[in-house]
Amino acid sequence: MGKAGKALKQVLGTYRISQNRLAVTMGINRSTVHQWVNETSDPLAEAVTEIVKALRKIDEAASEDFINLYLERPPQDNESS
């Protein structure tokens, strides 16, 4: 399956965000989040956008980490070069 599930699983674990909390914030069933995390289904592009929005509501850093992992970008430093 896709990168979204792997990225989501890592972020939820790192930031100790439950699948249920993400699902409630997104207004969807927990089983849907479970399927993404366990890579039995991939979120559609629209859902990835909603994941980012929901994570931002829960924890801004979790949202940024999800984006970086999903896009396979190295973590960004806050300092300008």
Side-chain angles (χ1 to χ4, degrees):
M1 288 279 151
K3 298 180 287 185
K6 289 178 184 170
L8 188 56
K9 184 175 188 173
Q10 185 173 336
V11 167
L12 295 181
T14 299
Y15 291 89
R16 299 178 190 219
I17 300 168
S18 71
Q19 293 177 22
N20 188 61
R21 184 170 182 199
L22 179 62
V24 168
T25 304
M26 292 180 71
I28 62 173
N29 289 325
R30 190 197 64 78
S31 62
T32 302
V33 175
H34 177 81
Q35 290 173 359
W36 296 337
V37 168
N38 290 291
E39 300 179 56
T40 56
S41 70
D42 286 326
L44 299 174
E46 296 85 14
V48 172
T49 301
E50 294 304 314
I51 290 168
V52 171
K53 288 178 184 177
L55 287 173
R56 190 170 291 135
K57 287 180 184 177
I58 296 168
D59 187 322
E60 182 78 29
S63 174
E64 293 301 317
D65 280 356
F66 175 76
I67 293 167
N68 289 334
L69 289 165
Y70 182 66
L71 297 177
E72 298 180 343
R73 294 192 302 205
Q76 300 291 317
D77 287 333
N78 289 335
E79 299 176 23
S80 300
S81 301

